[in-house]
């Protein structure tokens, strides 16, 4: 994972990383240990993302989940640009 985040939001930050020779985006929650509700939210997000195969959406590539420690990282393709700026334009 890179040394500074690409962006951050209410629940976490997004980092640039390499996976199997490709650059990817890794979403990491702000808290080291998530509440049950936050963990359920991230798991729900993963369930939705893994069903989407559309060229207009970021590709879900996988996740690292430690349910016992309540830690999670979501890995997606690295998209160009700032999503917030794209949505607002």
């Amino acid at each position: 994972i890179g040394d500074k985040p690409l962006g951050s939001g209410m629940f976490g930050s997004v980092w640039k990383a390499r996976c199997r020779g490709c650059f990817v985006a890794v979403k990491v929650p702000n808290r080291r240990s998530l509440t049950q509700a936050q963990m359920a939210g991230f798991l729900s997000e993963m369930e939705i993302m893994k069903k989407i195969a559309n060229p207009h959406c970021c590709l879900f590539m996988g996740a690292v989940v430690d349910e016992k420690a309540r830690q999670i990282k979501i890995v997606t393709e690295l998209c160009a640009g700032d999503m917030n700026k794209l949505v607002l334009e």
Side-chain angles (χ1 to χ4, degrees), residues 25-58:
V26 180
K27 185 175 184 178
V28 181
N30 289 331
R31 296 176 52 138
R32 286 196 168 262
S33 180
L34 302 175
T35 65
Q36 285 184 320
Q38 290 169 326
M39 188 70 168
F42 272 99
L43 292 173
S44 176
E45 180 178 347
M46 285 186 339
E47 287 298 316
I48 293 167
M49 291 176 71
K50 73 181 186 182
K51 295 175 184 173
I52 297 173
N54 185 302
H56 301 290
C57 298
C58 283

Side-chain angles (χ1 to χ4, degrees), residues 63-81:
V64 179
V65 179
D66 183 341
E67 290 191 55
K68 186 176 180 182
R70 289 189 285 184
Q71 296 176 342
I72 192 167
K73 293 176 179 68
I74 296 175
V75 182
T76 66
E77 71 176 314
L78 182 63
C79 297

Side-chain angles (χ1 to χ4, degrees), residues 17-24 60-63 75:
R18 282 185 88 78
C19 178
R20 298 184 181 127
C22 297
F23 285 109
V24 296
F60 173 73
M61 298 178 74
V75 182

